[in-house]
Amino acid sequence: SGDVLGIVWDGTGYGTDGTIWGGEFLLTDHQSCKRAAHLMPFRLPSGDKAIKEPRRTALGVLYEMFGEDVAIVTPLSAMFAENEQKVLIQMLQKGINSPVTSSAGRLFDAVASLVGLRQRVSFEGQAAMMLEFALQEEIEAGYPFEIGGADPLHVNWHPMIRAILADIGNAPIGVISAKFHNTLAEMMVAVAKQIGVQRVCLTGGVFQNRYLTQRSHRRLTQEGFRVYTHQRVPPNDGGISLGQVVVAAKGVRY
């Protein structure tokens, strides 16, 4: 009984607004569910193909920040041939085959691409796994971010990506990865504080990431929240069917 804040971070989920969700903070009391906050959205040039090519996701993230100046202010030449880059930017400009997403999983892909770990993958989540495996665990620092909007709140990752771009070439990939992970945990803490619900559940495929799950659990607990993580049911697709049964049984309203 009572309210629970679900931090639901995954790669792809169909949202009630018709966009692709995956970076959500859902407030629920087992009778209704409300999108209380989410990561700032961006476009995925070529849709599903971006899942197989993190470089496309990186371009979508950078275009959201810099618009048509993206080719000038960011080092895209190593990722794309010139003609290919122009076509993808035109797709983003016109919104052609470029769905909007708030996905935390795709944000992992974008950062993995930007730091040069992986531009193409052979399975979903490969780039994110490489980013996790590369991190230096003794790092405590993070990057800036902003919380804005209202009902729902939105988590602005633009300052984080700007800082990552500044670090590329000046800091080891392991340090950048650790700071990125640490920042995501602080985003969770910041949103949880604003929403003010004591019980917090961590779920979704992103929480297969051991470091992120442990870091987030520790930081939320330090701030006085009761944190719940998966034990017998997996946080990714393997747990969806159980969740659907609960939603159907309870008649949860969105």
PDB file of all heavy atoms in Angstrom, residues 142-170:
ATOM      1  N   GLY A 142      31.508  13.102 -10.704  1.00  0.00           N
ATOM      2  CA  GLY A 142      30.447  12.969 -11.693  1.00  0.00           C
ATOM      3  C   GLY A 142      30.412  14.187 -12.599  1.00  0.00           C
ATOM      4  O   GLY A 142      31.325  15.024 -12.579  1.00  0.00           O
ATOM      5  N   TYR A 143      29.363  14.294 -13.389  1.00  0.00           N
ATOM      6  CA  TYR A 143      29.180  15.398 -14.320  1.00  0.00           C
ATOM      7  C   TYR A 143      27.957  16.222 -13.919  1.00  0.00           C
ATOM      8  O   TYR A 143      27.087  15.736 -13.184  1.00  0.00           O
ATOM      9  CB  TYR A 143      28.992  14.868 -15.743  1.00  0.00           C
ATOM     10  CG  TYR A 143      30.211  14.241 -16.354  1.00  0.00           C
ATOM     11  CD1 TYR A 143      30.223  12.886 -16.707  1.00  0.00           C
ATOM     12  CD2 TYR A 143      31.353  14.992 -16.592  1.00  0.00           C
ATOM     13  CE1 TYR A 143      31.338  12.295 -17.290  1.00  0.00           C
ATOM     14  CE2 TYR A 143      32.473  14.410 -17.172  1.00  0.00           C
ATOM     15  CZ  TYR A 143      32.466  13.069 -17.512  1.00  0.00           C
ATOM     16  OH  TYR A 143      33.585  12.499 -18.084  1.00  0.00           O
ATOM     17  N   PRO A 144      27.849  17.456 -14.416  1.00  0.00           N
ATOM     18  CA  PRO A 144      26.668  18.274 -14.102  1.00  0.00           C
ATOM     19  C   PRO A 144      25.452  17.824 -14.886  1.00  0.00           C
ATOM     20  O   PRO A 144      25.556  17.195 -15.944  1.00  0.00           O
ATOM     21  CB  PRO A 144      27.114  19.683 -14.527  1.00  0.00           C
ATOM     22  CG  PRO A 144      28.121  19.454 -15.607  1.00  0.00           C
ATOM     23  CD  PRO A 144      28.853  18.195 -15.217  1.00  0.00           C
ATOM     24  N   PHE A 145      24.286  18.131 -14.362  1.00  0.00           N
ATOM     25  CA  PHE A 145      23.013  17.907 -15.042  1.00  0.00           C
ATOM     26  C   PHE A 145      22.009  18.865 -14.422  1.00  0.00           C
ATOM     27  O   PHE A 145      22.298  19.542 -13.426  1.00  0.00           O
ATOM     28  CB  PHE A 145      22.541  16.454 -14.890  1.00  0.00           C
ATOM     29  CG  PHE A 145      22.264  16.035 -13.472  1.00  0.00           C
ATOM     30  CD1 PHE A 145      20.995  16.161 -12.926  1.00  0.00           C
ATOM     31  CD2 PHE A 145      23.281  15.531 -12.673  1.00  0.00           C
ATOM     32  CE1 PHE A 145      20.742  15.790 -11.612  1.00  0.00           C
ATOM     33  CE2 PHE A 145      23.036  15.155 -11.361  1.00  0.00           C
ATOM     34  CZ  PHE A 145      21.768  15.288 -10.832  1.00  0.00           C
ATOM     35  N   GLU A 146      20.820  18.935 -14.988  1.00  0.00           N
ATOM     36  CA  GLU A 146      19.790  19.849 -14.486  1.00  0.00           C
ATOM     37  C   GLU A 146      18.450  19.139 -14.406  1.00  0.00           C
ATOM     38  O   GLU A 146      18.170  18.237 -15.199  1.00  0.00           O
ATOM     39  CB  GLU A 146      19.668  21.082 -15.399  1.00  0.00           C
ATOM     40  CG  GLU A 146      20.939  21.916 -15.493  1.00  0.00           C
ATOM     41  CD  GLU A 146      20.859  22.992 -16.556  1.00  0.00           C
ATOM     42  OE1 GLU A 146      19.850  22.999 -17.323  1.00  0.00           O
ATOM     43  OE2 GLU A 146      21.789  23.809 -16.655  1.00  0.00           O
ATOM     44  N   ILE A 147      17.646  19.545 -13.444  1.00  0.00           N
ATOM     45  CA  ILE A 147      16.268  19.072 -13.329  1.00  0.00           C
ATOM     46  C   ILE A 147      15.349  20.242 -13.623  1.00  0.00           C
ATOM     47  O   ILE A 147      15.493  21.323 -13.037  1.00  0.00           O
ATOM     48  CB  ILE A 147      15.958  18.527 -11.913  1.00  0.00           C
ATOM     49  CG1 ILE A 147      16.966  17.453 -11.504  1.00  0.00           C
ATOM     50  CG2 ILE A 147      14.526  18.003 -11.851  1.00  0.00           C
ATOM     51  CD1 ILE A 147      16.856  16.179 -12.263  1.00  0.00           C
ATOM     52  N   GLY A 148      14.418  20.068 -14.536  1.00  0.00           N
ATOM     53  CA  GLY A 148      13.520  21.158 -14.897  1.00  0.00           C
ATOM     54  C   GLY A 148      12.121  20.655 -15.142  1.00  0.00           C
ATOM     55  O   GLY A 148      11.806  19.474 -14.964  1.00  0.00           O
ATOM     56  N   GLY A 149      11.272  21.571 -15.600  1.00  0.00           N
ATOM     57  CA  GLY A 149       9.906  21.207 -15.932  1.00  0.00           C
ATOM     58  C   GLY A 149       9.071  20.896 -14.703  1.00  0.00           C
ATOM     59  O   GLY A 149       9.505  21.027 -13.566  1.00  0.00           O
ATOM     60  N   ALA A 150       7.869  20.492 -14.959  1.00  0.00           N
ATOM     61  CA  ALA A 150       6.940  20.127 -13.886  1.00  0.00           C
ATOM     62  C   ALA A 150       5.851  19.236 -14.462  1.00  0.00           C
ATOM     63  O   ALA A 150       5.285  19.539 -15.521  1.00  0.00           O
ATOM     64  CB  ALA A 150       6.324  21.370 -13.264  1.00  0.00           C
ATOM     65  N   ASP A 151       5.581  18.133 -13.770  1.00  0.00           N
ATOM     66  CA  ASP A 151       4.462  17.247 -14.094  1.00  0.00           C
ATOM     67  C   ASP A 151       4.410  16.833 -15.573  1.00  0.00           C
ATOM     68  O   ASP A 151       3.436  17.170 -16.269  1.00  0.00           O
ATOM     69  CB  ASP A 151       3.149  17.917 -13.677  1.00  0.00           C
ATOM     70  CG  ASP A 151       2.017  16.897 -13.544  1.00  0.00           C
ATOM     71  OD1 ASP A 151       2.335  15.718 -13.252  1.00  0.00           O
ATOM     72  OD2 ASP A 151       0.847  17.272 -13.738  1.00  0.00           O
ATOM     73  N   PRO A 152       5.383  16.120 -16.089  1.00  0.00           N
ATOM     74  CA  PRO A 152       6.495  15.527 -15.362  1.00  0.00           C
ATOM     75  C   PRO A 152       7.744  16.406 -15.324  1.00  0.00           C
ATOM     76  O   PRO A 152       7.910  17.311 -16.156  1.00  0.00           O
ATOM     77  CB  PRO A 152       6.772  14.263 -16.171  1.00  0.00           C
ATOM     78  CG  PRO A 152       6.449  14.674 -17.576  1.00  0.00           C
ATOM     79  CD  PRO A 152       5.269  15.601 -17.475  1.00  0.00           C
ATOM     80  N   LEU A 153       8.609  16.118 -14.371  1.00  0.00           N
ATOM     81  CA  LEU A 153       9.941  16.701 -14.347  1.00  0.00           C
ATOM     82  C   LEU A 153      10.744  16.117 -15.502  1.00  0.00           C
ATOM     83  O   LEU A 153      10.455  15.022 -15.982  1.00  0.00           O
ATOM     84  CB  LEU A 153      10.656  16.363 -13.031  1.00  0.00           C
ATOM     85  CG  LEU A 153      10.026  16.827 -11.725  1.00  0.00           C
ATOM     86  CD1 LEU A 153      10.740  16.175 -10.544  1.00  0.00           C
ATOM     87  CD2 LEU A 153      10.083  18.336 -11.611  1.00  0.00           C
ATOM     88  N   HIS A 154      11.744  16.854 -15.966  1.00  0.00           N
ATOM     89  CA  HIS A 154      12.635  16.264 -16.955  1.00  0.00           C
ATOM     90  C   HIS A 154      14.087  16.444 -16.509  1.00  0.00           C
ATOM     91  O   HIS A 154      14.452  17.457 -15.933  1.00  0.00           O
ATOM     92  CB  HIS A 154      12.414  16.844 -18.358  1.00  0.00           C
ATOM     93  CG  HIS A 154      12.581  18.329 -18.449  1.00  0.00           C
ATOM     94  ND1 HIS A 154      11.534  19.187 -18.632  1.00  0.00           N
ATOM     95  CD2 HIS A 154      13.685  19.114 -18.388  1.00  0.00           C
ATOM     96  CE1 HIS A 154      11.966  20.431 -18.685  1.00  0.00           C
ATOM     97  NE2 HIS A 154      13.271  20.415 -18.533  1.00  0.00           N
ATOM     98  N   VAL A 155      14.867  15.417 -16.757  1.00  0.00           N
ATOM     99  CA  VAL A 155      16.281  15.403 -16.378  1.00  0.00           C
ATOM    100  C   VAL A 155      17.098  15.785 -17.610  1.00  0.00           C
ATOM    101  O   VAL A 155      17.126  15.044 -18.604  1.00  0.00           O
ATOM    102  CB  VAL A 155      16.713  14.016 -15.864  1.00  0.00           C
ATOM    103  CG1 VAL A 155      18.164  14.063 -15.396  1.00  0.00           C
ATOM    104  CG2 VAL A 155      15.803  13.550 -14.733  1.00  0.00           C
ATOM    105  N   ASN A 156      17.729  16.934 -17.535  1.00  0.00           N
ATOM    106  CA  ASN A 156      18.479  17.463 -18.669  1.00  0.00           C
ATOM    107  C   ASN A 156      19.917  16.953 -18.614  1.00  0.00           C
ATOM    108  O   ASN A 156      20.705  17.357 -17.759  1.00  0.00           O
ATOM    109  CB  ASN A 156      18.460  18.998 -18.636  1.00  0.00           C
ATOM    110  CG  ASN A 156      19.101  19.616 -19.869  1.00  0.00           C
ATOM    111  OD1 ASN A 156      19.727  18.925 -20.665  1.00  0.00           O
ATOM    112  ND2 ASN A 156      18.959  20.917 -20.012  1.00  0.00           N
ATOM    113  N   TRP A 157      20.258  16.055 -19.544  1.00  0.00           N
ATOM    114  CA  TRP A 157      21.593  15.476 -19.606  1.00  0.00           C
ATOM    115  C   TRP A 157      22.549  16.284 -20.486  1.00  0.00           C
ATOM    116  O   TRP A 157      23.729  15.913 -20.632  1.00  0.00           O
ATOM    117  CB  TRP A 157      21.523  14.036 -20.135  1.00  0.00           C
ATOM    118  CG  TRP A 157      20.532  13.845 -21.249  1.00  0.00           C
ATOM    119  CD1 TRP A 157      19.275  13.334 -21.147  1.00  0.00           C
ATOM    120  CD2 TRP A 157      20.701  14.192 -22.638  1.00  0.00           C
ATOM    121  NE1 TRP A 157      18.653  13.318 -22.375  1.00  0.00           N
ATOM    122  CE2 TRP A 157      19.510  13.839 -23.304  1.00  0.00           C
ATOM    123  CE3 TRP A 157      21.750  14.753 -23.370  1.00  0.00           C
ATOM    124  CZ2 TRP A 157      19.338  14.040 -24.681  1.00  0.00           C
ATOM    125  CZ3 TRP A 157      21.583  14.969 -24.734  1.00  0.00           C
ATOM    126  CH2 TRP A 157      20.386  14.613 -25.368  1.00  0.00           C
ATOM    127  N   HIS A 158      22.088  17.375 -21.079  1.00  0.00           N
ATOM    128  CA  HIS A 158      22.948  18.176 -21.958  1.00  0.00           C
ATOM    129  C   HIS A 158      24.249  18.607 -21.281  1.00  0.00           C
ATOM    130  O   HIS A 158      25.335  18.463 -21.878  1.00  0.00           O
ATOM    131  CB  HIS A 158      22.200  19.404 -22.477  1.00  0.00           C
ATOM    132  CG  HIS A 158      21.078  19.083 -23.416  1.00  0.00           C
ATOM    133  ND1 HIS A 158      20.516  20.025 -24.272  1.00  0.00           N
ATOM    134  CD2 HIS A 158      20.395  17.934 -23.648  1.00  0.00           C
ATOM    135  CE1 HIS A 158      19.542  19.466 -24.971  1.00  0.00           C
ATOM    136  NE2 HIS A 158      19.452  18.196 -24.603  1.00  0.00           N
ATOM    137  N   PRO A 159      24.192  19.143 -20.031  1.00  0.00           N
ATOM    138  CA  PRO A 159      25.460  19.533 -19.383  1.00  0.00           C
ATOM    139  C   PRO A 159      26.422  18.358 -19.219  1.00  0.00           C
ATOM    140  O   PRO A 159      27.640  18.528 -19.328  1.00  0.00           O
ATOM    141  CB  PRO A 159      25.001  20.071 -18.022  1.00  0.00           C
ATOM    142  CG  PRO A 159      23.591  20.518 -18.238  1.00  0.00           C
ATOM    143  CD  PRO A 159      23.021  19.520 -19.205  1.00  0.00           C
ATOM    144  N   MET A 160      25.892  17.174 -18.966  1.00  0.00           N
ATOM    145  CA  MET A 160      26.729  15.985 -18.825  1.00  0.00           C
ATOM    146  C   MET A 160      27.439  15.660 -20.132  1.00  0.00           C
ATOM    147  O   MET A 160      28.656  15.399 -20.145  1.00  0.00           O
ATOM    148  CB  MET A 160      25.882  14.790 -18.386  1.00  0.00           C
ATOM    149  CG  MET A 160      26.653  13.484 -18.299  1.00  0.00           C
ATOM    150  SD  MET A 160      25.614  12.060 -17.862  1.00  0.00           S
ATOM    151  CE  MET A 160      24.652  11.866 -19.381  1.00  0.00           C
ATOM    152  N   ILE A 161      26.704  15.671 -21.235  1.00  0.00           N
ATOM    153  CA  ILE A 161      27.313  15.337 -22.522  1.00  0.00           C
ATOM    154  C   ILE A 161      28.353  16.385 -22.917  1.00  0.00           C
ATOM    155  O   ILE A 161      29.423  16.049 -23.453  1.00  0.00           O
ATOM    156  CB  ILE A 161      26.236  15.185 -23.615  1.00  0.00           C
ATOM    157  CG1 ILE A 161      25.298  14.011 -23.294  1.00  0.00           C
ATOM    158  CG2 ILE A 161      26.885  14.980 -24.986  1.00  0.00           C
ATOM    159  CD1 ILE A 161      25.975  12.658 -23.259  1.00  0.00           C
ATOM    160  N   ARG A 162      28.076  17.660 -22.641  1.00  0.00           N
ATOM    161  CA  ARG A 162      29.070  18.708 -22.927  1.00  0.00           C
ATOM    162  C   ARG A 162      30.361  18.441 -22.161  1.00  0.00           C
ATOM    163  O   ARG A 162      31.463  18.589 -22.702  1.00  0.00           O
ATOM    164  CB  ARG A 162      28.512  20.085 -22.562  1.00  0.00           C
ATOM    165  CG  ARG A 162      27.420  20.585 -23.488  1.00  0.00           C
ATOM    166  CD  ARG A 162      26.914  21.954 -23.048  1.00  0.00           C
ATOM    167  NE  ARG A 162      25.794  22.404 -23.847  1.00  0.00           N
ATOM    168  CZ  ARG A 162      25.882  23.056 -24.995  1.00  0.00           C
ATOM    169  NH1 ARG A 162      27.088  23.355 -25.473  1.00  0.00           N
ATOM    170  NH2 ARG A 162      24.808  23.433 -25.647  1.00  0.00           N
ATOM    171  N   ALA A 163      30.218  18.062 -20.897  1.00  0.00           N
ATOM    172  CA  ALA A 163      31.398  17.792 -20.079  1.00  0.00           C
ATOM    173  C   ALA A 163      32.137  16.545 -20.563  1.00  0.00           C
ATOM    174  O   ALA A 163      33.373  16.494 -20.527  1.00  0.00           O
ATOM    175  CB  ALA A 163      30.988  17.639 -18.612  1.00  0.00           C
ATOM    176  N   ILE A 164      31.391  15.546 -21.018  1.00  0.00           N
ATOM    177  CA  ILE A 164      32.025  14.341 -21.571  1.00  0.00           C
ATOM    178  C   ILE A 164      32.814  14.696 -22.825  1.00  0.00           C
ATOM    179  O   ILE A 164      33.954  14.238 -23.015  1.00  0.00           O
ATOM    180  CB  ILE A 164      30.968  13.257 -21.864  1.00  0.00           C
ATOM    181  CG1 ILE A 164      30.453  12.653 -20.557  1.00  0.00           C
ATOM    182  CG2 ILE A 164      31.544  12.161 -22.769  1.00  0.00           C
ATOM    183  CD1 ILE A 164      29.300  11.683 -20.725  1.00  0.00           C
ATOM    184  N   LEU A 165      32.236  15.518 -23.705  1.00  0.00           N
ATOM    185  CA  LEU A 165      32.941  15.942 -24.911  1.00  0.00           C
ATOM    186  C   LEU A 165      34.237  16.663 -24.560  1.00  0.00           C
ATOM    187  O   LEU A 165      35.262  16.482 -25.226  1.00  0.00           O
ATOM    188  CB  LEU A 165      32.043  16.849 -25.762  1.00  0.00           C
ATOM    189  CG  LEU A 165      30.830  16.185 -26.425  1.00  0.00           C
ATOM    190  CD1 LEU A 165      29.946  17.234 -27.084  1.00  0.00           C
ATOM    191  CD2 LEU A 165      31.272  15.136 -27.444  1.00  0.00           C
ATOM    192  N   ALA A 166      34.200  17.461 -23.485  1.00  0.00           N
ATOM    193  CA  ALA A 166      35.399  18.171 -23.047  1.00  0.00           C
ATOM    194  C   ALA A 166      36.438  17.211 -22.480  1.00  0.00           C
ATOM    195  O   ALA A 166      37.650  17.451 -22.594  1.00  0.00           O
ATOM    196  CB  ALA A 166      35.028  19.224 -22.006  1.00  0.00           C
ATOM    197  N   ASP A 167      35.991  16.118 -21.882  1.00  0.00           N
ATOM    198  CA  ASP A 167      36.904  15.133 -21.280  1.00  0.00           C
ATOM    199  C   ASP A 167      37.546  14.216 -22.312  1.00  0.00           C
ATOM    200  O   ASP A 167      38.623  13.660 -22.073  1.00  0.00           O
ATOM    201  CB  ASP A 167      36.157  14.272 -20.257  1.00  0.00           C
ATOM    202  CG  ASP A 167      36.285  14.806 -18.839  1.00  0.00           C
ATOM    203  OD1 ASP A 167      37.017  15.805 -18.637  1.00  0.00           O
ATOM    204  OD2 ASP A 167      35.644  14.233 -17.930  1.00  0.00           O
ATOM    205  N   ILE A 168      36.872  14.008 -23.450  1.00  0.00           N
ATOM    206  CA  ILE A 168      37.400  13.089 -24.466  1.00  0.00           C
ATOM    207  C   ILE A 168      38.756  13.594 -24.956  1.00  0.00           C
ATOM    208  O   ILE A 168      38.898  14.739 -25.382  1.00  0.00           O
ATOM    209  CB  ILE A 168      36.417  12.950 -25.640  1.00  0.00           C
ATOM    210  CG1 ILE A 168      35.144  12.227 -25.177  1.00  0.00           C
ATOM    211  CG2 ILE A 168      37.064  12.185 -26.800  1.00  0.00           C
ATOM    212  CD1 ILE A 168      34.047  12.194 -26.214  1.00  0.00           C
ATOM    213  N   GLY A 169      39.738  12.747 -24.854  1.00  0.00           N
ATOM    214  CA  GLY A 169      41.091  13.133 -25.235  1.00  0.00           C
ATOM    215  C   GLY A 169      41.892  13.702 -24.089  1.00  0.00           C
ATOM    216  O   GLY A 169      43.121  13.820 -24.175  1.00  0.00           O
ATOM    217  N   ASN A 170      41.214  14.058 -23.001  1.00  0.00           N
ATOM    218  CA  ASN A 170      41.892  14.637 -21.839  1.00  0.00           C
ATOM    219  C   ASN A 170      41.809  13.750 -20.602  1.00  0.00           C
ATOM    220  O   ASN A 170      42.476  14.012 -19.601  1.00  0.00           O
ATOM    221  CB  ASN A 170      41.301  16.011 -21.506  1.00  0.00           C
ATOM    222  CG  ASN A 170      41.492  17.013 -22.624  1.00  0.00           C
ATOM    223  OD1 ASN A 170      42.594  17.179 -23.128  1.00  0.00           O
ATOM    224  ND2 ASN A 170      40.399  17.667 -23.032  1.00  0.00           N
TER     225      ASN A 170
END
